[in-house]
Amino acid sequence: VQLQASGGGLVQPGGSLRLSCAASVVSFRSYVMSWFRQAPGKEREFVAAIKSSDSRPLYADSVKGRFTISRDNAKNTVYLQMNSLEPEDTAVYYCAADRQVIVSSYSRPNAYDYWGQGTLVTVSS
């Protein structure tokens, strides 16, 4: 399984970005797809997860109402739409995938076997 994240960049506070993560995998729809982020000097933290297109996504409290995770199984791609960005959202964003992670473990980095390389998001004026 290979994951390729893209879409990061520099954005002003209050702005928006959409991250993409393309997966090279058979049976993409069987994978739970998630986004994590890691700011300098901090541990990797959960952002959002989605199991299937018709299931309710899970979000970290810090991004609820601002970020939206979605997936396109025909394109083997998961997205993270980020609105109302704040300087505190500055981090390297990673996508992660796993077929066996259970809901209670969605937010745990060590529950995922596959990771993308990360894309840097900088929120600054």
Side-chain angles (χ1 to χ4, degrees):
V1 177
Q2 291 187 331
L3 303 176
Q4 182 70 41
S6 61
L10 173 64
V11 62
Q12 292 186 342
S16 299
L17 278 177
R18 188 177 82 155
L19 306 183
S20 300
C21 176
S24 298
V25 63
V26 177
S27 300
F28 173 75
R29 63 178 65 249
S30 67
Y31 285 78
V32 173
M33 300 299 298
S34 295
W35 288 96
F36 288 77
R37 66 187 182 186
Q38 188 166 17
K42 295 187 177 181
E43 294 186 350
R44 191 166 299 189
E45 67 172 358
F46 172 75
V47 174
I50 186 168
K51 180 178 182 181
S52 62
S53 298
D54 57 357
S55 64
R56 177 179 293 183
L58 180 68
Y59 295 97
D61 288 342
S62 59
V63 306
K64 278 182 183 176
R66 300 189 299 121
F67 291 10
T68 302
I69 188 172
S70 62
R71 64 190 297 162
D72 185 337
N73 290 333
K75 296 182 178 181
N76 281 17
T77 301
V78 64
Y79 303 98
L80 185 68
Q81 177 66 44
M82 306 185 295
N83 299 328
S84 302
L85 283 161
E86 304 168 350
E88 293 73 23
D89 296 317
T90 295
V92 177
Y93 284 71
Y94 298 90
C95 56
D98 200 277
R99 276 200 291 193
Q100 298 180 333
V101 58
I102 58 177
V103 172
S104 60
S105 295
Y106 278 7
S107 63
R108 294 172 49 202
N110 60 8
Y112 295 83
D113 284 339
Y114 306 106
W115 291 85
Q117 85 288 1
T119 185
L120 176 63
V121 173
T122 303
V123 185
S124 175
S125 55

